[in-house]
Amino acid sequence: MKANIEYFIRPADPLGHYFEVDLIIWQPQSLQQVQMPAWIPGSYMIRDFSKQIVQIHAYEINDKRHLISPLLMESCDSNTWQIHTTKKPILISAKMYAFDQSVRTAYLDQFRGFYNHSSLCLQALGFTNEPCLVHIEKTSWLNSWSVITSMAPMNIHKDGFGSYFAKNYAELIDHPVSLGHFQVLTWKSCDIPHMMVIQGATDAIDTTRLARDLKAITQSQIAFFEPNAKKAPFQHYIFHVNVSANGYGGLEHRNSTALLCKRSDLPYSELTLVQSSYEDFLGLCSHEYFHAWNVKNIQPLAFQPYQLQVRNHTHLLWLFEGFTSYYDDLHLLRSKVISLESYLERLNKTINQVLKSTGRLKQSLAQSSYDAWTKYYLMDENTPNAVVSYYAKGSLIALALDLLIRQFTQQHKSLDDVMRVLWQQHGDLKGHGIGLAEDGFKDVVLLAIGAEFKSTWNQFEKRFILGTEDLPLGDLLAQQNWVLQEQPLTSSELALQRLGVRTTTQDALVKITHVFDDGGAHKAGIAAGDLLVSINRERITPSTFSSLLDRFSHQSISLMVFRQDILHECVVTKDARKLAKWQIVPNASA
């Protein structure tokens, strides 16, 4: 097969962390522009991937890829170049620095490689909707490495190096690539092949347990959207996992996901399992897998198509991320990989996380979604006081709406019915693929539940999505014979919440990272960045901070702090606020 656009990707220098990438345009425009994306879909922040370009040159070439003459590349902006051509084939050669451990960009050293094409491959403007070929080339030092990717293979070796096909640039950047050595597990869910490839784990993974649990989760989700046909929007699926000392995160793609986790998150054949950490990892897998339906196929209209040079704003991330955050844990429960007790613990954690942040009273979920680019993804020390998480509160919106629908329909319908209608109307498996308008979710809800639900939805949306009211979870849970019960804090928890700070350690001192509105630290004038020295003249160390705070919690305290290397005294007055945490428990009298 021939294509006008071809990429040649070489992991050229693992010690210096460099990829070399050639882009060939066989039939260029007379004034040809090429451009690096400024962001990657699924991660709503301008990242300017062009900053990793170390060298870039353009050449006119012949039909055998031999260089004929150099061409001038003129910068149009920081991400875009233009080249005057004679309409003969051109080659753009770029040297790319790749040393980011995250799931969003590219990484290369002597032990592993990983990349998203949006971090390495220029798009040829004017040809972004055309097919392209990708050649992943094997250099001399890669003798024992393999390539894993969900791209369509054209002519590859058994180790995965070779040529692949993408029908356009948008599809190209939706297939991450892992290179190196892997621990591999495979299974089938609803007859669809699945694979997880793991790098960075220093011990042998318990692949039997992990494959069993992942099979249960993935089968649960496939059956959720297509309970009869049990079809999925992909023919195969890959989980790319990078295991690190201390990392967590994921990025969804159309038939794969890239995940980052800690070593303690995984089950090992010879090591004791940390159950809560393992459940966190399964929840991450479940979250990114659910995105194969909810955001990769069901999309905001604002994302069709993605504009990779500018921010793509939508008010709907509470639906696409928040509802996914609700169903990720719910499918852990439904697939029986976690207990009801564990599920409730995870739900309680989310409820308390949302209720502790005063940002929920200042920013609506719709606005939080719209401002993700400049607020949620660019957090600072005041974020908890100014921003509400469309992930966390969005998941509680899903819970509340689920409970409300069950109550309204006398248990005949639930949020599951809404999500299936959303899939049927806006998922492209059935040939629709129509983006969801900013006000379009209401129509989906009413189609699923009935027009008589209109007034209830209007009030719900006004108060809790467009407004900043706290959700009436206690009342809604009570209708299902559950109680949202107030629980006392431990003395240490109470002391820390009354002070109202988050901390870290710096130079063997306790450093303030966040100061919460209306807490003791806020009223005493303590600020983010302050280093704590003493409480009532007793020295603070990271190991004694909690016990000292607890000991002096019933009186005013003198805190000595360094700010910009100058010592200050801040007096924290006695705080009589009633603080608590919340827990969902069965209604014993029901």
Side-chain angles (χ1 to χ4, degrees):
M1 176 183 176
K2 288 201 170 186
N4 185 38
I5 305 297
E6 291 193 63
Y7 295 94
F8 297 81
I9 299 173
R10 291 179 297 279
D13 180 0
L15 303 181
H17 320 296
Y18 292 114
F19 283 94
E20 292 175 351
V21 183
D22 291 344
L23 162 60
I24 292 180
I25 309 173
W26 291 106
Q27 296 179 338
Q29 299 169 337
S30 57
L31 182 62
Q32 180 64 57
Q33 290 190 329
V34 294
Q35 188 177 72
M36 282 296 291
W39 64 286
I40 184 170
S43 183
Y44 307 108
M45 175 180 168
I46 297 295
R47 299 183 185 275
D48 285 322
F49 297 127
S50 61
K51 67 186 177 185
Q52 305 301 346
I53 297 176
V54 177
Q55 292 178 319
I56 186 167
H57 304 285
Y59 304 90
E60 186 176 300
I61 61 174
N62 62 22
D63 292 343
K64 296 182 179 180
R65 291 175 56 195
H66 295 154
L67 305 184
I68 296 176
S69 60
L71 298 172
L72 177 65
M73 295 188 70
E74 299 174 328
S75 295
C76 303
D77 56 39
S78 60
N79 301 309
T80 311
W81 295 261
Q82 64 182 16
I83 306 160
H84 293 272
T85 80
T86 61
K87 293 194 174 181
K88 292 180 180 179
I90 64 171
L91 180 148
I92 298 97
S93 176
K95 186 175 183 178
M96 311 292 299
Y97 182 68
F99 201 57
D100 184 346
Q101 284 271 12
S102 80
V103 297
R104 297 175 294 266
T105 53
Y107 182 89
L108 182 65
D109 65 13
Q110 65 268 47
F111 307 112
R112 62 177 284 265
F114 172 83
Y115 67 85
N116 292 284
H117 289 96
S118 51
S119 297
L120 297 185
C121 295
L122 293 153
Q123 52 184 332
L125 299 186
F127 302 109
T128 53
N129 291 323
E130 291 191 7
C132 55
L133 292 177
V134 180
H135 310 280
I136 305 175
E137 300 185 335
K138 190 170 188 176
T139 51
S140 58
W141 57 271
L142 293 179
N143 287 333
S144 62
W145 279 27
S146 298
V147 171
I148 303 292
T149 181
S150 54
M151 271 191 301
M154 291 294 293
N155 182 19
I156 63 172
H157 304 286
K158 63 180 181 179
D159 57 12
F161 286 93
S163 301
Y164 294 84
F165 170 80
K167 67 181 181 181
N168 53 40
Y169 188 81
E171 181 179 289
L172 172 68
I173 66 172
D174 229 355
H175 295 288
V177 177
S178 291
L179 306 99
H181 305 103
F182 308 95
Q183 294 190 56
V184 180
L185 51 149
T186 60
W187 69 95
K188 285 188 177 181
S189 292
C190 301
D191 291 326
I192 299 169
H194 288 66
M195 172 189 290
M196 176 172 280
V197 293
I198 302 171
Q199 293 177 288
T202 54
D203 292 275
I205 302 295
D206 185 347
T207 55
T208 302
R209 174 170 188 167
L210 187 51
R212 181 192 68 217
D213 290 343
L214 289 171
K215 179 174 182 176
I217 296 165
T218 52
Q219 285 193 153
S220 175
Q221 294 195 19
I222 293 170
F224 172 78
F225 284 102
E226 295 281 345
N228 297 320
K230 294 186 179 179
K231 294 180 180 177
F234 43 77
Q235 296 179 328
H236 57 91
Y237 195 92
I238 299 175
F239 295 85
H240 299 259
V241 181
N242 175 32
V243 187
S244 66
N246 187 22
Y248 180 85
L251 188 64
E252 68 274 7
H253 296 279
R254 64 180 62 199
N255 62 350
S256 65
T257 181
L259 306 174
L260 176 65
C261 71
K262 301 189 297 295
R263 291 188 178 89
S264 60
D265 291 344
L266 297 175
Y268 296 94
S269 302
E270 304 289 335
L271 300 177
T272 302
L273 178 68
V274 182
Q275 185 64 34
S276 60
S277 295
Y278 180 51
E279 291 178 2
D280 286 344
F281 177 70
L282 293 178
L284 177 64
C285 294
S286 181
H287 182 97
E288 303 305 333
Y289 192 74
F290 198 85
H291 271 319
W293 289 267
N294 194 36
V295 90
K296 297 312 297 184
N297 280 276
I298 310 163
Q299 291 186 322
L301 188 60
F303 289 175
Q304 293 187 340
Y306 289 113
Q307 303 295 320
L308 297 175
Q309 292 309 301
V310 295
R311 298 172 180 137
N312 291 196
H313 291 284
T314 175
H315 291 95
L316 295 175
L317 292 182
W318 57 268
L319 168 61
F320 289 96
E321 292 292 353
F323 279 38
T324 299
S325 295
Y326 175 60
Y327 277 104
D328 58 18
D329 282 348
L330 198 53
H331 278 290
L332 300 188
L333 176 65
R334 289 177 174 177
S335 61
K336 297 183 173 57
V337 301
I338 66 171
S339 65
L340 176 61
E341 291 74 21
S342 292
Y343 174 72
L344 292 176
E345 285 180 14
R346 298 174 73 83
L347 190 53
N348 293 334
K349 183 178 178 181
T350 302
I351 291 171
N352 286 295
Q353 174 190 340
V354 171
L355 292 179
K356 279 169 59 177
S357 170
T358 58
R360 77 187 197 282
L361 304 174
K362 300 164 188 169
Q363 185 188 47
S364 72
L365 273 181
Q367 197 61 46
S368 174
S369 300
Y370 196 85
D371 291 341
W373 299 84
T374 54
K375 291 189 176 181
Y376 189 80
Y377 269 85
L378 292 172
M379 294 185 181
D380 60 23
E381 68 280 356
N382 197 47
T383 292
N385 300 320
V387 173
V388 64
S389 168
Y390 51 77
Y391 285 90
K393 190 178 178 183
S395 72
L396 298 186
I397 285 286
L399 169 64
L401 184 57
D402 198 354
L403 296 170
L404 187 61
I405 291 170
R406 293 170 188 269
Q407 175 187 332
F408 186 86
T409 64
Q410 298 181 329
Q411 312 301 327
H412 291 297
K413 291 187 176 180
S414 72
L415 187 62
D416 293 1
D417 297 282
V418 176
M419 295 305 293
R420 291 191 188 107
V421 169
L422 181 63
W423 172 239
Q424 292 159 10
Q425 295 295 307
H426 295 276
D428 67 9
L429 184 64
K430 296 182 180 296
H432 297 287
I434 303 168
L436 187 68
E438 294 295 285
D439 59 354
F441 188 59
K442 172 182 177 179
D443 295 334
V444 174
V445 171
L446 298 185
L447 185 60
I449 308 304
E452 62 274 15
F453 193 67
K454 180 177 180 180
S455 176
T456 302
W457 167 258
N458 287 343
Q459 285 299 309
F460 184 88
E461 180 185 45
K462 179 181 178 181
R463 294 173 62 191
F464 308 121
I465 298 172
L466 304 178
T468 59
E469 291 186 45
D470 281 333
L471 289 158
L473 290 177
D475 294 340
L476 291 169
L477 286 163
Q479 296 294 325
Q480 307 295 324
N481 292 320
W482 292 89
V483 177
L484 186 60
Q485 190 175 84
E486 188 175 339
Q487 298 285 321
L489 297 167
T490 66
S491 60
S492 296
E493 289 173 333
L494 185 60
L496 188 60
Q497 281 206 29
R498 282 178 170 166
L499 183 61
V501 295
R502 286 182 190 160
T503 64
T504 188
T505 300
Q506 177 179 307
D507 299 330
L509 294 173
V510 175
K511 179 181 178 179
I512 302 294
T513 60
H514 298 81
V515 176
F516 300 127
D517 282 351
D518 301 323
H522 172 202
K523 294 175 181 177
I526 294 170
D530 286 354
L531 298 172
L532 303 185
V533 179
S534 66
I535 295 179
N536 287 2
R537 297 191 299 166
E538 289 195 38
R539 183 169 71 96
I540 295 172
T541 68
S543 61
T544 64
F545 175 57
S546 180
S547 59
L548 286 171
L549 200 59
D550 186 12
R551 194 170 122 213
F552 292 112
S553 62
H554 298 292
Q555 64 185 78
S556 297
I557 58 175
S558 168
L559 273 175
M560 300 301 294
V561 306
F562 278 117
R563 184 179 301 172
Q564 298 295 322
D565 291 339
I566 296 177
L567 191 64
H568 300 277
E569 181 184 19
C570 298
V571 177
V572 180
T573 58
K574 183 178 178 181
D575 187 348
R577 287 181 300 162
K578 182 181 179 182
L579 300 171
K581 57 186 176 183
W582 300 90
Q583 182 178 2
I584 300 173
V585 297
N587 184 347
S589 63

